[in-house]
Amino acid sequence: MKFRPCIDIHNGRVKQIVGSSLKDAGNTASENFVAEQGAVYFADLYKSCNLTGGHIVLLNAANSEYYDATRVQAMEALKAYPGGMQIGGGINPENAAAYLEAGASHVIVTSYVFQNGKIHYDRLKQIEKAVGKERLVLDLSCRKKGNHYYVVTERWQNFTDVTVDKKILDELSEHCDEFLVHAVDVEGKAAGIERELAELLGDWNGIPVTYAGGISSMEDIRILHGCSGGTLDYTIGSALDLFGGTIPFRSLAVIRDWENIQNTQDFHNSSKSDI
């Protein structure tokens, strides 16, 4: 169970937003935090702490007036920390190589593979061929509808008919190196994790899975560990002190594994980290 840092970029700025509020129309989102620093600042910080496997996400559509500014921020961050971070947002076989050459360890893909509400296996094979299984992360970010979680696409705005379950995890894991899963309904709300989803993902035994969404405290990390059996990596956004929250980044950066988290008092004794 490992902490993975993030850099979310919207309208050319590093932000933390409420995931379910993101809209292409008007490039709008409910903002929790807007950083004064650019993406390079955060990439340099993560590099200095030797934190790997985090992700950069471009939150604007390719046809947005802000897309170029968002992409510039992302490319500069990749170059600042070569091999240290993954990148997602509008990735396809035509542009993936540019991100890998800029320094991304992996590319993260959703909408290219999941289109018009379905999995397109021909597209999955194309992106796998373009970058290699070992450098591909599939984003299975999802929302609950009825009794099931469904993959959502286009910056989490559109439901697919793809349910997140062990069968689909088994199937898709043959084509990628990792999964990234945002619990979209709690993403950016810092109001607790989506336990049912964490349990579902934790019960599956396969390639690495990073969970995102709702973590607001160290207690939430302990809950995530308990309901997933410690099998999930995790990322934290607006609850982190880097982004206006109270969880000390410096403590997470130093204490890497669950056993150390269990035994340390740093999280109880630390004030906001000196960043």
Side-chain angles (χ1 to χ4, degrees):
M1 188 172 181
K2 183 175 75 171
F3 168 59
R4 305 227 193 175
C6 65
I7 304 174
D8 295 343
I9 310 171
H10 182 245
N11 295 357
R13 302 286 299 276
V14 176
K15 297 182 181 180
Q16 286 297 314
I17 67 167
V18 177
S20 57
S21 73
L22 186 62
K23 304 294 181 186
D24 286 345
N27 300 291
T28 61
S30 296
E31 298 171 348
N32 289 324
F33 181 85
V34 181
E36 295 180 2
Q37 307 93 338
V40 169
Y41 169 84
F42 295 96
D44 284 339
L45 178 62
Y46 301 155
K47 181 179 179 180
S48 71
C49 296
N50 197 31
L51 290 170
T52 59
H55 57 273
I56 300 168
V57 178
L58 291 74
L59 292 173
N60 289 103
N63 61 0
S64 165
E65 62 190 286
Y66 295 101
Y67 178 76
D68 288 344
T70 291
R71 188 175 185 276
V72 166
Q73 286 282 324
M75 294 295 276
E76 290 178 348
L78 290 175
K79 291 173 183 176
Y81 190 9
M85 300 198 74
Q86 307 167 358
I87 190 164
I91 306 294
N92 58 55
E94 286 68 44
N95 63 22
Y99 291 112
L100 295 174
E101 289 168 5
S105 65
H106 297 69
V107 293
I108 305 167
V109 174
T110 311
S111 295
Y112 181 77
V113 170
F114 300 93
Q115 287 213 342
N116 301 317
K118 300 183 181 298
I119 298 177
H120 289 254
Y121 290 95
D122 57 336
R123 287 173 167 259
L124 177 58
K125 291 176 182 177
Q126 288 167 9
I127 190 67
E128 182 184 5
K129 182 178 179 180
V131 304
K133 177 182 185 293
E134 70 282 359
R135 302 193 77 175
L136 179 61
V137 176
L138 288 180
D139 185 338
L140 302 184
S141 294
C142 55
R143 302 179 73 174
K144 194 171 186 182
K145 185 168 62 174
N147 295 321
H148 301 285
Y149 289 95
Y150 292 86
V151 174
V152 288
T153 63
E154 305 296 340
R155 287 151 304 286
W156 308 326
Q157 297 172 48
N158 299 322
F159 277 91
T160 70
D161 64 3
V162 181
T163 57
V164 178
D165 55 26
K166 291 182 180 180
K167 180 180 178 181
I168 201 66
L169 294 172
D170 284 339
E171 182 179 313
L172 295 180
S173 66
E174 296 297 318
H175 302 278
C176 64
D177 196 46
E178 298 183 8
F179 292 123
L180 171 64
V181 184
H182 290 82
V184 175
D185 286 328
V186 298
E187 173 67 19
K189 297 180 180 179
I193 68 168
E194 189 85 40
R195 293 196 192 197
E196 184 179 350
L197 178 60
E199 289 171 356
L200 185 159
L201 296 171
D203 283 342
W204 182 70
N205 184 24
I207 62 176
V209 180
T210 298
Y211 169 90
I215 295 175
S216 62
S217 65
M218 282 307 303
E219 181 59 25
D220 283 333
I221 299 177
R222 292 186 174 90
I223 291 170
L224 180 65
H225 180 274
C227 65
S228 70
T231 63
L232 300 179
D233 289 344
Y234 63 98
T235 190
I236 301 174
S238 56
L240 204 62
D241 61 356
L242 286 180
F243 304 120
T246 59
I247 298 176
F249 166 78
R250 290 292 183 186
S251 293
L252 291 178
V254 171
I255 302 169
R256 303 299 175 82
D257 58 71
W258 176 251
E259 286 73 20
N260 283 338
I261 291 174
Q262 289 277 65
N263 295 327
T264 187
Q265 293 300 309
D266 287 354
F267 292 105
H268 303 290
N269 299 332
S270 295
S271 60
K272 292 177 74 70
S273 60
D274 181 17
I275 56 177

